Amino acid sequence: MIKEYKTIKEIASPLMVVEHVEGVTFDELAEIELQNGERRRCKVLEVEGDRAVVQLFENAQGINLAESKVRFLGHPLELGVSEDMLGRVFNGMGEPIDGGPEILAEEHKDINGLPMNPAARAYPAEFIQTGVSAIDGLNTLVRGQKLPIFSGSGLPHAPLAAQIARQARVLGDNETFAVVFAAVGITFEESEYFINDFRRTGAIDRTVVFSNLANDPAVERISTPRMALTAAEYLAFEKDMQVLVIITDITNYAEALREVSAAKKEVPGRRGYPGYLYTDLATMYERAGRRQGKKGSITMIPILTMPEDDKTHPIPDLTGYITEGQIILSRDLFRKGLVPPIDVLPSLSRLKDKGIGVGKTREDHAGTMNQLFAAYSRGKDAKELMTILGEAALSDDDKIFARFADDFEKIYVSQGNNTNRSIEETLNIGWQLLSMLPRTELKRIKPEMIEKYMPKA
Amino acid sequence: MSGKVTKVSGPLVVAEGLADANVSDVVRVGRQRLIGEILNMTGDSASIQVYEETSGLGPSADVETTGMPMSVELGPGMLDNIYDGIQRPLPEIRAIAGETIARGTEVPALNREKVWDFVPVASVGDKLVTGDVLGTVQETSAINHKIMVPNGIEGEVVRIESGEHVVEDVIAVIRDKDGKEHDLTMIQRWPVRIARPYIKKYVPSRPMNSGQRIIDTLFPIAKGGTAAVPGPFGSGKTVVQHQLAKWSDVDIVVYIGCGERGNEMTDVLMEFPELKDPRNGEPLMKRTVLIANTSDMPVAAREASIYTGITIAEYFRDMGYDVAVLADSTSRWAEALREMSGRLEEMPGEEGYPAYLASRIAQFYERAGVVECMGSDERKGSVTAIGAVSPPGGDISEPVSQATMRIVKVFWALDSSLAYARHFPAINWLTSYSLYLDNLGAWYEDQFGPAYMENRNKAMSILQEESELLEIVRLVGQDALSANDRLTMETAKMVREDFLQQNAFVDDDAYSSYAKQYRLLDTILKYDEYAREALVKGAEIDRLFKIGAKEKIGRAKMIPQDRFEDEYDAIVAEMKAQIDEAAAGGEDE
């Protein structure tokens, strides 16, 4: 028996206090019925005695303390899942907005999920070929990894993410894949860019879209990525699909979290974000992965824009501590006209070592990767010196490295958004570049490999 | 003794009607019997931190106290196992609940059915005190588990068993001086927040061999010492911790994954059974206890996980073993403290952390040390504590790093610019330090003669000089340097690239013995020495840089342990010949 309460005591958007309640539990979902019959959803944040603090998912406009009714539904926020979700578009609360029929849910799942038992995880080790050299060759993505793109305002992260979604495949494998796309507080245009790209390539039939656009309620953004991940978990671990989850933009998510935290008058951590931002982000990111005994997997590419391009801002900083690496886009490289403008030095894939090498990519992968990094880093240092002291101040070796850095950016990184390179092509381009360098500098590659793969002049 | 919940706010629950309960008691909350711990009491109302997700919990739910503080079970069965933050075995949770961790799962920490072969050491009539060994159990192929007389019990053995027993069987009976008989099993319980007692503490004087060149040669840590590994994300903290867990010459490793990635724990779980201990050939997992509170698990249990880990470590120390505790990352533990403190509405200190942050950190590290264990046989054991710190933005001026630096003796500062250049381990040689050099100097001299530390100091001064020379190069260019200075820069580069860099993913390089470390550094310093002599004789510097043996030095670290001595001799001979030739050529012209 669900009781209705007309005892709203206080509203300070996005929070509301309801009094004289009974049997209300933490994290429970509730519904407000306005005097005009409109219904909005909210959830319990704190309950003390007969008083519940409730967080609204939408704005508080039109709620009347005396007339509006609150019903507590006895369960947390859930998403009804079914395979029919593929090809459909939902709002941030999981309601269809594409004009199609309601989803007949196979089951209802708590959107918060449950922590995955580390003893039941399967370690991600299958190489995903994205066709992007800077990723495949140097910051290799593997199945079940969470690899965010750190971008900045105005940088082209969307074309890169769309390119990955379009080109990504596991070599020699025909399993069913699906894309779950969560738009969190982004503009209509950016969201359309992705959806059009999925449509153009036919991927749209295998895609589930959750859309909370910039003009949708900010607080709803806290649920949107969790809705998407709940759908992804269902598809991956119950329907054996290989799921790629793209969430954009995490920065908007964190801001919504800050808004609620401020309304709750919590002690703020850095830059006003709540002290539990790390834990909160982790409960989302950690839902990526593989499980022992299950065929499916969740690979996650969250996108975030670094405020002021600052990697030490709490959002990218905490994300970097949780995710398994990061792909960083650089404004300098973007200005130089590199497409995609991936700055490979601070970028990283933590899981690459288990996903490359004999039987996965090629035996020379690890050595050439380390050598390219080291050489590019040295070339950048040399170029920096050159800008201060002029080219004459460089040693002969340093001049070679400076030229290497330029060619590396032009040939290796800047491949364009429509080039799909196989891993062999990527590795061979690497060797071509390395052939510029003096042989004595190639310390990170085994001599046998140099003999075997170095292009003969 | 049952109370009622009055308030639920995330992991913080307030309950009343608990006048009989004690502060720090473990309680069971609600229908799902969630595990919690009492933090504060006001009148009969208690603030409880609940170690599991509290969704679905509301006022009027029952709260029941167990009357016991947060404790761990100590006994055979901990090694080769993985626990969550409050010592629930994850493989068994998996067997019950599947791939995710359902709430309120109750599993005993030690397997109750497993049969152990108990071999008595004491015999009837022996007078034993706390800490004396009753008998042993071969827990894994690597470790012989000593069953000790629990704290507070002493007297005469009136019965002792032998043979196959489960942990709950009575394996000995001791009659104390009042004539009371105590039934002893293989299980001890110990409250995690209290350090286990010992007879005496010593100043650490033996190094912990880690097989990592920059650590063992430049910034060594002592057995029983404390160290911190701070670094921004992506600088390789976890790889350093994993390397230490793999190769350290301790008997037992307790690895606490505190608020970190699930896949990292999975990695350890998959990799360690495959890896062999270089000293005894046993799988590394056989000496390892894992505690995992991954970042998606409830935050309150994160706070407990550090204590769970160090208590288990102290227990093995009490058997006379050398134990290493690796905590990755203490910053997440501090954040868990901050979150609970915020919910308790305590007055925050710096950056929202509670004012007692520094004293909690100090208490944790102070549980490390070399001790004479309880018992009458004067055995010694040690706990070495190594904590990773994850400073926001890599800026170590924040409270957790600062409070840690005040207490630890070794500081391995990870540097993101080294990591970008793929210089691993990315430990910065200019900002790191070890305060154990003085204590350990005698040991090094005893083992390898005075040359080891001399070489170490020489390498450090070359690196220091390099950083000064680099400043000059940045201002006026390479050409301004004298030939001698250019040689110093070149030697420093060799020390950095050919000695300090170490690839954790290449078998022959991942672990370096002391002997190999010494010879490798010595070879590089010999190059410096010979080349400097050649310069005096008029050799051309560029020719010295181009000799063929240099490339061989660059690859020398990859030479396997069983062949390196001969091959290094050959390299040195070749190098000497080539330098002499260059010097002679210089004189001819």
Side-chain angles (χ1 to χ4, degrees):
Chain A
M1 191 18 220
I2 290 173
K3 279 193 199 161
E4 279 187 352
Y5 296 97
K6 285 176 89 175
T7 47
I8 303 174
K9 171 78 181 162
E10 179 186 326
I11 290 187
S13 184
L15 300 188
M16 172 171 93
V17 175
V18 190
E19 287 194 325
H20 308 300
V21 297
E22 223 175 274
V24 172
T25 64
F26 176 67
D27 208 29
E28 187 175 342
L29 187 68
E31 211 173 45
I32 316 163
E33 192 179 322
L34 267 57
Q35 37 304 7
N36 62 7
E38 186 192 336
R39 285 177 185 192
R40 291 185 197 160
R41 287 200 275 183
C42 49
K43 73 166 184 180
V44 178
L45 285 185
E46 188 181 300
V47 42
E48 184 169 10
D50 63 353
R51 180 173 173 275
V53 180
V54 177
Q55 172 202 318
L56 302 166
F57 288 113
E58 290 149 78
N59 66 37
Q61 199 174 14
I63 298 179
N64 181 296
L65 295 191
E67 298 296 324
S68 300
K69 289 178 273 192
V70 182
R71 272 189 297 276
F72 293 91
L73 303 177
H75 60 80
L77 187 53
E78 288 175 335
L79 176 71
V81 288
S82 141
E83 254 181 288
D84 299 335
M85 297 174 90
L86 289 167
R88 301 289 305 273
V89 181
F90 302 86
N91 70 7
M93 295 297 284
E95 291 149 355
I97 49 170
D98 54 0
E102 288 283 319
I103 297 287
L104 282 176
E106 217 167 277
E107 55 186 309
H108 290 271
K109 286 183 172 289
D110 179 352
I111 63 156
N112 289 312
L114 283 168
M116 221 191 282
N117 188 333
R121 278 182 188 266
Y123 198 75
E126 288 163 294
F127 169 68
I128 298 181
Q129 180 178 298
T130 64
V132 180
S133 292
I135 297 176
D136 291 353
L138 301 177
N139 298 293
T140 317
L141 178 69
V142 295
R143 203 176 251 180
Q145 185 172 13
K146 37 194 180 292
L147 189 65
I149 297 176
F150 286 11
S151 180
S153 315
L155 292 182
H157 48 261
L160 177 62
Q163 186 180 11
I164 295 171
R166 191 166 67 230
Q167 298 178 351
R169 65 193 191 92
V170 170
L171 299 175
D173 163 309
N174 298 316
E175 286 174 73
T176 45
F177 79 97
V179 176
V180 174
F181 176 71
V184 182
I186 58 172
T187 60
F188 169 77
E189 282 168 46
E190 192 171 347
S191 164
E192 276 303 288
Y193 175 87
F194 277 99
I195 293 169
N196 281 334
D197 201 79
F198 296 147
R199 209 168 271 146
R200 186 166 65 85
T201 55
I204 191 77
D205 297 336
R206 315 283 319 154
T207 301
V208 189
V209 177
F210 290 87
S211 175
N212 169 287
L213 298 184
N215 57 349
D216 290 328
V219 183
E220 195 180 289
R221 276 166 213 163
I222 297 175
S223 312
T224 310
R226 294 196 161 80
M227 292 278 170
L229 285 163
T230 305
E233 275 172 0
Y234 170 78
L235 294 174
F237 302 126
E238 283 171 44
K239 298 292 161 191
D240 291 340
M241 292 183 195
Q242 309 301 333
V243 184
L244 178 69
V245 179
I246 299 176
I247 304 175
T248 176
D249 181 327
I250 296 292
T251 307
N252 297 333
Y253 170 82
E255 272 165 12
L257 203 65
R258 176 165 69 178
E259 191 180 325
V260 175
S261 169
K264 279 154 79 179
K265 300 192 173 61
E266 290 172 333
V267 178
R270 277 203 304 155
R271 301 223 182 176
Y273 291 97
Y276 50 79
L277 180 62
Y278 176 86
T279 310
D280 189 276
L281 289 174
T283 54
M284 293 191 327
Y285 295 142
E286 280 289 318
R287 290 169 81 171
R290 293 168 61 224
R291 297 177 182 181
Q292 286 173 30
K294 300 277 170 159
K295 273 202 203 133
S297 67
I298 298 179
T299 308
M300 195 192 298
I301 302 189
I303 299 172
L304 59 89
T305 47
M306 297 181 279
E308 299 164 35
D309 294 351
D310 176 11
K311 196 163 71 97
T312 66
H313 183 281
I315 301 169
D317 189 51
L318 296 179
T319 297
Y321 275 121
I322 309 163
T323 54
E324 285 138 350
Q326 65 278 337
I327 301 293
I328 297 191
L329 301 187
S330 144
R331 201 167 295 277
D332 281 346
L333 298 182
F334 176 62
R335 287 203 192 107
K336 273 193 197 168
L338 265 63
V339 182
I342 298 176
D343 190 354
V344 298
L345 293 182
S347 297
L348 171 73
S349 163
R350 290 165 193 273
L351 302 183
K352 61 178 185 301
D353 298 292
K354 301 255 159 66
I356 62 176
V358 185
K360 292 185 168 148
T361 55
R362 212 166 71 182
E363 54 182 344
D364 56 326
H365 194 154
T368 49
M369 172 179 79
N370 288 328
Q371 194 69 62
L372 284 168
F373 271 125
Y376 180 54
S377 162
R378 182 157 167 204
K380 291 257 279 196
D381 285 347
K383 281 179 67 180
E384 207 174 298
L385 205 61
M386 202 159 80
T387 49
I388 306 171
L389 298 168
E391 200 175 341
L394 295 187
S395 69
D396 291 344
D397 275 2
D398 279 346
K399 278 180 203 149
I400 298 176
F401 276 101
R403 203 156 38 107
F404 171 87
D406 283 334
D407 282 6
F408 175 82
E409 286 174 3
K410 252 180 270 158
I411 300 169
Y412 197 92
V413 178
S414 186
Q415 65 178 76
N417 283 130
N418 294 311
T419 313
N420 188 358
R421 285 185 188 155
S422 73
I423 183 66
E424 282 78 19
E425 285 174 69
T426 292
L427 289 171
N428 293 342
I429 293 170
W431 277 108
Q432 225 163 33
L433 289 164
L434 290 175
S435 68
M436 295 168 62
L437 303 177
R439 169 87 196 247
T440 47
E441 293 291 341
L442 303 182
K443 286 187 217 168
R444 305 201 181 210
I445 311 176
K446 289 191 181 146
E448 313 88 270
M449 296 291 149
I450 299 181
E451 286 310 316
K452 190 165 168 191
Y453 292 103
M454 180 68 86
K456 307 282 182 286
Chain B
M1 275 190 286
S2 163
K4 296 273 182 220
V5 170
T6 57
K7 174 182 174 178
V8 185
S9 167
L12 178 75
V13 168
V14 179
E16 56 184 23
L18 286 168
D20 296 338
N22 312 310
V23 172
S24 298
D25 273 2
V26 170
V27 294
R28 296 299 192 135
V29 182
R31 213 162 17 90
Q32 287 171 303
R33 297 179 55 75
L34 307 177
I35 301 168
E37 184 181 358
I38 298 180
L39 294 177
N40 293 332
M41 301 224 40
T42 323
D44 72 341
S45 109
S47 302
I48 299 163
Q49 93 171 335
V50 177
Y51 292 126
E52 297 177 85
E53 178 58 49
T54 50
S55 159
L57 194 67
S60 83
D62 289 328
V63 179
E64 197 184 305
T65 166
T66 60
M68 296 235 301
M70 181 68 205
S71 307
V72 287
E73 282 186 359
L74 302 165
M78 292 189 291
L79 292 168
D80 198 4
N81 207 342
I82 176 168
Y83 291 112
D84 75 354
I86 47 175
Q87 216 205 2
R88 291 183 299 183
L90 289 171
E92 272 147 65
I93 291 186
R94 184 184 171 204
I96 296 171
E99 296 116 35
T100 52
I101 298 176
R103 292 186 293 162
T105 316
E106 270 184 86
V107 198
L110 299 176
N111 188 323
R112 295 296 193 263
E113 270 110 58
K114 182 149 187 189
V115 177
W116 301 97
D117 190 16
F118 177 76
V119 182
V121 171
S123 32
V124 174
D126 286 358
K127 298 256 195 301
L128 300 183
V129 297
T130 297
D132 278 343
V133 179
L134 290 164
T136 61
V137 161
Q138 192 67 38
E139 183 174 352
T140 66
S141 47
I143 296 296
N144 195 10
H145 190 116
K146 296 173 185 157
I147 309 294
M148 296 168 290
V149 177
N151 199 38
I153 293 179
E154 59 176 274
E156 189 186 330
V157 180
V158 287
R159 188 165 68 101
I160 188 147
E161 300 289 330
S162 141
E164 301 200 322
H165 288 282
V166 297
V167 284
E168 282 182 314
D169 286 352
V170 174
I171 42 100
V173 178
I174 283 185
R175 184 189 299 131
D176 63 20
K177 61 182 192 302
D178 303 325
K180 190 176 168 221
E181 293 197 348
H182 299 268
D183 289 348
L184 302 182
T185 67
M186 287 190 253
I187 303 182
Q188 295 193 17
R189 280 193 184 73
W190 192 264
V192 293
R193 293 180 202 282
I194 297 171
R196 283 175 64 86
Y198 49 83
I199 292 176
K200 193 176 163 203
K201 210 167 195 172
Y202 295 91
V203 175
S205 61
R206 289 170 306 147
M208 185 178 89
N209 176 215
S210 66
Q212 309 305 303
R213 290 186 290 267
I214 187 160
I215 293 177
D216 287 347
T217 299
L218 294 192
F219 309 109
I221 178 168
K223 281 193 180 130
T226 52
V229 196
F233 65 83
S235 57
K237 269 187 306 300
T238 302
V239 178
V240 169
Q241 292 269 29
H242 280 197
Q243 287 301 94
L244 290 169
K246 284 176 194 167
W247 309 120
S248 294
D249 66 335
V250 291
D251 302 303
I252 310 275
V253 169
V254 180
Y255 191 98
I256 310 166
C258 177
E260 290 290 306
R261 305 174 184 91
N263 277 330
E264 282 170 4
M265 298 315 289
T266 312
D267 187 22
V268 174
L269 275 179
M270 285 188 8
E271 198 180 12
F272 277 33
E274 307 293 321
L275 289 169
K276 300 270 186 285
D277 188 331
R279 279 159 295 268
N280 58 17
E282 292 293 339
L284 286 173
M285 199 60 205
K286 301 284 179 201
R287 64 162 199 183
T288 308
V289 184
L290 297 175
I291 314 280
N293 177 281
T294 56
S295 56
D296 54 342
M297 291 189 195
V299 68
R302 193 162 306 159
E303 198 263 328
S305 64
I306 290 269
Y307 296 105
T308 302
I310 197 132
T311 308
I312 292 174
E314 285 175 335
Y315 173 70
F316 282 108
R317 172 205 70 189
D318 290 346
M319 297 178 202
Y321 287 123
D322 290 320
V323 188
V325 177
L326 302 159
D328 186 11
S329 150
T330 56
S331 295
R332 305 298 161 226
W333 167 73
E335 282 165 11
L337 271 186
R338 173 168 71 183
E339 186 170 340
M340 286 317 295
S341 165
R343 298 208 189 249
L344 288 167
E345 291 165 13
E346 292 172 342
M347 182 69 82
E350 231 178 316
E351 288 192 18
Y353 287 104
Y356 46 79
L357 173 73
S359 66
R360 292 279 173 90
I361 290 177
Q363 272 164 14
F364 166 72
Y365 282 106
E366 204 49 23
R367 287 173 77 168
V370 184
V371 303
E372 184 183 326
C373 313
M374 297 296 282
S376 41
D377 61 353
E378 295 182 6
R379 55 181 191 271
K380 274 191 188 179
S382 71
V383 171
T384 310
I386 300 168
V389 183
S390 319
D395 172 13
I396 56 166
S397 65
E398 54 92 39
V400 182
S401 306
Q402 286 301 314
T404 306
M405 284 170 77
R406 283 213 303 273
I407 185 96
V408 299
K409 296 276 189 298
V410 180
F411 189 72
W412 297 311
L414 295 174
D415 190 325
S416 55
S417 61
L418 290 175
Y420 294 166
R422 279 12 181 208
H423 175 113
F424 287 115
I427 297 175
N428 186 313
W429 47 89
L430 296 174
T431 49
S432 301
Y433 60 81
S434 164
L435 300 182
Y436 290 116
L437 282 169
D438 291 341
N439 297 2
L440 300 177
W443 186 90
Y444 278 100
E445 186 156 346
D446 194 44
Q447 299 282 320
F448 311 103
Y452 201 101
M453 275 295 133
E454 279 166 23
N455 275 353
R456 184 245 171 221
N457 295 338
K458 202 163 157 193
M460 278 305 286
S461 71
I462 287 173
L463 291 169
Q464 183 65 44
E465 243 176 278
E466 182 200 30
S467 78
E468 286 158 20
L469 292 172
L470 273 174
E471 299 273 306
I472 301 176
V473 171
R474 258 183 227 120
L475 289 173
V476 290
Q478 187 114 25
D479 296 338
L481 296 183
S482 69
N484 261 316
D485 286 344
R486 283 185 64 196
L487 179 60
T488 304
M489 300 254 314
E490 190 67 16
T491 311
K493 185 173 160 228
M494 288 166 77
V495 172
R496 284 190 282 112
E497 293 182 359
D498 306 339
F499 181 73
L500 297 183
Q501 278 184 19
Q502 192 168 357
N503 193 333
F505 301 98
V506 173
D507 290 343
D508 288 321
D509 198 24
Y511 173 83
S512 238
S513 66
Y514 277 122
K516 187 174 165 186
Q517 300 190 22
Y518 169 70
R519 284 300 310 272
L520 183 57
L521 184 60
D522 197 55
T523 305
I524 294 168
L525 293 176
K526 278 213 170 76
Y527 168 81
D528 185 72
E529 186 189 326
Y530 297 157
R532 229 168 268 278
E533 285 166 14
L535 281 179
V536 176
K537 290 183 193 155
E540 220 182 296
I541 184 106
D542 287 318
R543 201 161 152 198
L544 291 172
F545 287 173
K546 291 213 168 77
I547 61 166
K550 257 188 77 199
E551 193 191 334
K552 289 197 179 154
I553 298 178
R555 300 183 185 283
K557 58 185 166 191
M558 304 291 182
I559 298 171
Q561 173 70 19
D562 54 350
R563 307 204 302 262
F564 78 92
E565 295 202 39
D566 293 343
E567 296 204 17
Y568 285 9
D569 286 342
I571 291 173
V572 173
E574 186 186 336
M575 173 175 86
K576 178 96 172 83
Q578 287 171 348
I579 291 178
D580 286 347
E581 200 188 300
E587 275 165 355
D588 286 349
E589 279 164 9

